[in-house]
Every structure is written in C-alpha cells, then in structure tokens.
Amino acid sequence: MTATQQNAGQTASKDKIVVFDTTLRDGEQCPGASMTFEEKLEVAELLEAMGVDVIEAGFPIASQGDFEAVQEIARRAGPDVTIAGLARAISGDIARAGEAVRVAKRPRIHTFVSTSPIHLAHQMKKSEEQVLDIISATVAQARNLVDDVEWSAMDATRTPIEYLIRCVDAAIKAGATTINLPDTVGYAVPEEYAAMFRTVIERVPGSDKAIFSTHCHDDLGLAVANSLAGVAGGARQIECTINGLGERAGNAALEEVVMAIRTRGDYYAYRTDVETTMLTRASKLVSAVSAFPVQYNKAIVGRNAFSHESGIHQDGMLKNAETYEIMTPESVGVKATSLVMGKHSGRHAFREKLRELGYELGENALEDAFKRFKDLADRKKHVYDEDIEALVGDEVAVASETIRVLALTVIAGTGGPAKAIITLDVEGTHITKEMSGNGPVDATFNAIRAIVPHEAKMSLYQVHAVTEGTDAQAEVSVRLEEDGKSVTGRGADPDTMVASAKAYVSAVNKIAVKRQRQHAQAATA
Ligand code: KIV
Ligand code: ZN
C-alpha cells in the first residue's frame, strides 16, 4: 500500500465521523492532569485549528475556574466547531452548562446519568422508573436552552439492553440530538460493543433522529478497538482525548482513532476532518501542560513510533520506506530534527521559524521569545526546532507569572550538603536567599520555599531532555498539591537546575492563582 493509496481512502463520499475531543474534560479530570485557564485556551485553540468537530471544554458546575474556561473557549470558538459543557442530570448543572456554552456559535449541553443496576443501586439510590423520569426532564430542560443536546448513559455497557433501549427512547423523545453509550469502566470487548449499538439503533423507533456516539475507557487496552467497533455498529461520533489522557487507564486516543481510519481507508468506509499533520504538535502540547509523559513506544506519537533499530528493518527502510512503514512520519507532523539557527539569526528568521512551527506570537511575546532565543543560542551550539518549541512553551507559561527566577547559583558535589543561592522577583521586589539541601534540587527548592513559604506537597518532579546531546535543554515538570487540588509547573533551560527552579516557581505561581480564585469565589458566594 502506498502513501497515495492511503490518501485515496479519504474521499468525501465516505461517512463522516464526528470527532469529539474530551481532553479538557475527561482528560483534565484525571488526577494530576489539571491545566490552568491559559493552558486550556491554548489546547482548545489547537484542537479547533486541527479540525476537531466538538470540543468538550469542561464541567462548568465543578468550579468557577471550570465555568470561566468553558465560557471563554465558547466565546473564542469559530463557526465550525461545537463547544460542549458537561452537566449531571441535575437542574443546576444544566443551567450552568447552558450559561457557559451559550456564547458559542455552536453550543452543546452534554448531560449524563447512570443507567446500570450497580450504579442505580449504590450511587444513585434510584429505581429504573425514577431514572427514566429524570432523563425526560433533564434532556427537555437542556433542549430549552440549546438546540444541540447530547445525552449519555453512564456505564451503558453494564446496563441490561432492554432498559438501555427504554432510556435511549426517553432521551430522544425529550429532544436529545446525540446519544452516547459509554464504556465507562473499560469493560467491553469490540464485538459486544458493536452489537450493543446495532441493537439499540434497530430497536429504538426514533434512533434516526440522533447521532450515536462511542466513549471508551482503556482499562483493558481496548478503547480504540472498541470505538472503531462502535462505529461498525452504527455510531458516527467518537469521543476521545489527545494521548489517550483520562481517568485511570485513560480514554480512546484521538491520534490512534484518526490514523486508523485514515491509514486503513481501504477497509473503513469513514473519514474524519482532522488535519493529521498537527497530531504530533497536539500530543506535545497536551503532554507538556498535563505533565503526563508520552510513552516512548506509544502508537502514532511516541518518540519511537517511526524509528527502526533492527538491521533487517533498517535495510528494508533504506531500499523502500514502505517495506516497514504503514504511514509516513510527515503525515502525523513528525519532521526530521532540523538545525534551525545560530546566534547570528535575526528577528525576521526567528519569526519565520515560529510560523513554520505553527506559532503566531504578539509583538511583545515575540520580542521576549527572541531575547530568550538569543540567550539560548549563546549558550548552546545547536538550536533545534524542539528547542524553539520548548522555549515558546516556557514563554507562554511565564507570561502571566508574578514570581520569576532572576538568578541561581548552585554548589554541589561529593563534599557535603549542596548549597543554592537564588534571587526571585516577587511582584517587583527582588529577594535573595541561600539554603542548603540534600543535593542541588533540594537546596534550590528549599531556597524558593524560604522566599515563598507554602504548605503544598510536591507529588512529581520530572526531567526530560528536549533533544539529544549533553548540551540539550532540560524540560522540567513539578506538580504541587494543596487542599486536594494539584497544579503543574514547567520550565526549560540548558541548565537542569535553572529549569528545575523555573518549573517549581511556575507551580508556586499557579497555586497562588488558584488561591486567589478560591478567595474571590468565597467572597462572592
Ligand atoms: O466515562 C463516562 O461515562 C463519562 C461520561 C460523563 C460520558 O465520562
Ligand atoms: Zn469517560
């Protein structure tokens, strides 16, 4: 199969699959993956540019922060993307979701209720008849607020089919336009999941009035296979997340679903409108903002997904890439690592390089990023695309921070406790502290804590090299937890200690923003 044949599979005559991305809701909801307001906007902007059809932007009733992020994403969204807000089958949730999404050009309320016996008995403490009444009332309420209403049967795959049919019938009669049948606990197998859709679509009289949707969790590693099976059973929407981010083992990975449909266009009679060359960038962004690393051998976006080590494979690849490659790295946006510029490169070349990488910065941000690039080029012999990406990611993170790292000196080695002297800019005041610690990272973090005292506990410290070579930039993530909430800060620098300090300070800034939001909320409550 040639690359041309792959693309020939993407004809407009094929059935369109609606790609519903829930990275910002089901993905963000998983422990440790919480994103800031700005990070959510950045992810949403990329998803929209990529051609995702529906962005589930959050769960507006969950917090004021969630509400504001959903509303701002809805306000910024263009006419081709639907913005969904999640709501439980509770009147207050639905009203709040409606309020958050109504500024979108294409707003959707996504409301759900459990339908399985185990959820009804232990979580809902309701009878089947009571849940049917709830479905009718809540879907009707949502339909009074927006024209596009999705209803989900939580734990559908463990719900007796006869009862599931009655629930779907009630939801469609009340006005639901999309019916989602999730495999909430990741229990289904493909044949069974396909059969569930076939039966429900066949047996519910008004099933042609709604689009059916899959939503699969990956507890048994079957989320993508189940999603594709659901489509074979009649679903035409797939709910998924970038990198498969999500509760427990995660959700179906968007990049895998989209590339399976594209690469096996000879088999599947479907298409998506996702621009696949943006998948790698989306994966890197979501990994950076969530601080969830992508496993090296992850399909499509893993670092090794297109590398060939064995002699036989390399020999075949050199003769003809299609001997071992079913899709090209370029088709998912992987470029050969390229040497970009050196310290003599000018502003114009830098701006062009950013454009090529997909970044459009405002004048001030561009100027700041350019200064940092010059700084980096002075310290690092080769500056690669990945370095520029890390630098811009760092720039976006730092732009809104009120505490910044100004200077750091660390003394460490075999001869005793490490020592760190750090100067921070705290809302315009420069403060310097010296502290010792059990190694250079500990000493640096102790010095930061001495300037900005806090009770938050660190639950993650992670370093990765942006490129190869001993002068590579280090990209560091630090996750802090306070009052059951977690934030992740990141920083990049050729000096691992400076990158660590930046990441820690970034997390401290985020904790401060969270506290301010909570205080503001308490004051208005
Ligand atoms: O997994 C699930 O059932 C969900 C619903 C809220 C759709 O995420
Ligand atoms: Zn889910």
Side-chain angles (χ1 to χ4, degrees):
M1 185 206 344
T2 64
T4 327
Q5 279 170 324
Q6 278 177 34
N7 294 338
Q10 297 298 299
T11 59
S13 64
K14 293 186 159 197
D15 259 15
K16 151 110 179 190
I17 300 300
V18 174
V19 175
F20 176 117
D21 180 278
T22 181
T23 306
L24 295 173
R25 199 279 298 169
D26 221 344
E28 208 252 353
Q29 174 176 317
C30 82
S34 70
M35 300 172 201
T36 62
F37 181 79
E38 289 75 19
E39 287 166 346
K40 288 181 188 175
L41 299 188
E42 202 185 341
V43 171
E45 196 181 316
L46 187 59
L47 292 173
E48 182 177 350
M50 220 165 88
V52 161
D53 302 288
V54 186
I55 298 174
E56 184 160 54
F59 190 7
I61 197 81
S63 70
Q64 179 64 16
D66 257 58
F67 176 85
E68 284 168 10
V70 176
Q71 193 174 49
E72 187 55 23
I73 290 168
R75 200 182 61 71
R76 292 179 180 209
D80 297 329
V81 65
T82 298
I83 304 300
L86 186 71
R88 289 167 299 183
I90 296 174
S91 169
D93 276 38
I94 293 170
R96 196 78 173 135
E99 203 185 330
V101 297
R102 73 163 179 239
V103 287
K105 295 176 190 65
R106 300 174 72 152
R108 172 180 294 188
I109 296 177
H110 174 194
T111 182
F112 70 96
V113 70
S114 290
T115 53
S116 66
I118 188 160
H119 281 215
L120 260 56
H122 300 284
Q123 209 179 353
M124 308 273 298
K125 302 201 190 313
K126 298 254 188 272
S127 70
E128 288 191 346
E129 297 310 313
Q130 283 172 314
V131 169
L132 281 166
D133 288 344
I134 291 172
I135 295 169
S136 302
T138 51
V139 172
Q141 183 198 350
R143 242 340 261 275
N144 276 332
L145 299 173
V146 290
D147 289 338
D148 183 345
V149 173
E150 173 169 336
W151 177 76
S152 288
M154 195 182 221
D155 207 13
T157 49
R158 293 192 299 171
T159 301
I161 196 79
E162 293 302 328
Y163 181 58
L164 187 60
I165 288 168
R166 291 179 68 201
C167 291
V168 172
D169 185 45
I172 292 179
K173 283 196 175 121
T177 46
T178 298
I179 298 291
N180 181 31
L181 303 180
D183 184 26
T184 305
V185 291
Y187 178 73
V189 295
E191 293 74 16
E192 190 181 46
Y193 198 54
M196 178 186 71
F197 279 95
R198 250 180 235 119
T199 308
V200 173
I201 292 172
E202 207 177 281
R203 299 263 313 272
V204 172
S207 63
D208 57 324
K209 294 195 185 73
I211 289 185
F212 280 75
S213 176
T214 69
H215 178 111
C216 299
H217 283 267
D218 208 29
D219 300 67
L220 293 174
L222 291 170
V224 171
N226 282 339
S227 304
L228 293 168
V231 170
R236 286 296 175 268
Q237 173 177 288
I238 295 180
E239 303 196 358
C240 43
T241 59
I242 302 289
N243 297 338
L245 193 68
E247 294 267 22
R248 308 183 309 278
N251 289 58
L254 181 146
E255 61 279 4
E256 294 179 25
V257 164
V258 165
M259 286 312 286
I261 291 174
R262 177 186 154 127
T263 308
R264 294 308 311 274
D266 61 320
Y267 179 82
Y268 291 120
Y270 329 117
R271 67 182 168 88
T272 76
D273 286 343
V274 170
E275 175 49 61
T276 61
T277 56
M278 294 177 77
L279 290 172
T280 298
R281 207 178 130 205
S283 165
K284 283 186 180 168
L285 175 65
V286 169
S287 172
V289 298
S290 62
F292 269 57
V294 175
Q295 94 199 36
Y296 281 5
N297 59 344
K298 159 93 177 61
I300 317 295
V301 291
R303 184 182 276 209
N304 289 356
F306 292 95
S307 62
H308 303 267
E309 284 293 330
S310 99
I312 297 176
H313 286 211
Q314 282 183 349
D315 180 56
M317 286 292 293
L318 288 172
K319 289 177 177 142
N320 180 341
E322 286 173 17
T323 48
Y324 287 98
E325 221 163 56
I326 57 164
M327 56 200 154
T328 63
E330 292 77 20
S331 67
V332 300
V334 174
K335 292 179 227 100
T337 299
S338 63
L339 182 61
V340 282
M341 293 169 294
K343 59 181 173 187
H344 301 300
S345 307
R347 219 175 247 90
H348 182 68
F350 182 66
R351 189 200 294 265
E352 281 312 302
K353 176 46 82 179
L354 287 180
R355 273 207 188 114
E356 187 194 312
L357 294 173
Y359 297 102
E360 280 292 345
L361 299 189
E363 275 314 310
N364 291 346
L366 180 74
E367 199 48 41
D368 283 355
F370 182 65
K371 273 197 209 115
R372 290 156 65 94
F373 158 69
K374 283 293 209 189
D375 224 36
L376 185 65
D378 266 344
R379 296 159 70 198
K380 190 172 184 292
K381 200 162 145 210
H382 301 307
V383 179
Y384 298 93
D385 286 357
E386 290 89 336
D387 288 313
I388 303 273
E389 279 168 348
L391 185 139
V392 176
D394 209 28
E395 190 61 47
V396 172
V398 166
S400 55
E401 295 180 348
T402 55
I403 309 170
R404 290 167 189 241
V405 177
L406 291 182
L408 174 69
T409 305
V410 179
I411 301 159
T414 51
K419 195 165 83 175
I421 306 153
I422 196 161
T423 306
L424 299 185
D425 177 332
V426 182
E427 294 174 14
T429 309
H430 296 186
I431 308 174
T432 301
K433 284 273 178 211
E434 177 182 325
M435 293 295 281
S436 59
N438 189 11
V441 179
D442 193 40
T444 303
F445 289 2
N446 286 343
I448 295 171
R449 259 193 305 273
I451 299 177
V452 202
H454 58 84
E455 295 298 316
K457 295 264 167 304
M458 192 186 312
S459 58
L460 173 102
Y461 169 71
Q462 179 182 286
V463 185
H464 102 266
V466 173
T467 57
E468 286 167 12
T470 48
D471 70 342
Q473 281 200 91
E475 200 166 43
V476 177
S477 303
V478 168
R479 189 176 299 146
L480 294 180
E481 293 189 9
E482 189 182 72
D483 299 334
K485 299 244 181 311
S486 66
V487 295
T488 306
R490 59 199 158 103
D493 198 275
D495 183 315
T496 309
M497 286 312 112
V498 175
S500 302
K502 284 181 179 175
Y504 192 46
V505 165
S506 161
V508 170
N509 273 293
K510 288 180 182 177
I511 287 268
V513 171
K514 262 208 163 42
R515 272 196 221 128
Q516 275 163 13
R517 285 224 167 100
Q518 271 161 1
H519 288 157
Q521 244 176 294
T524 52

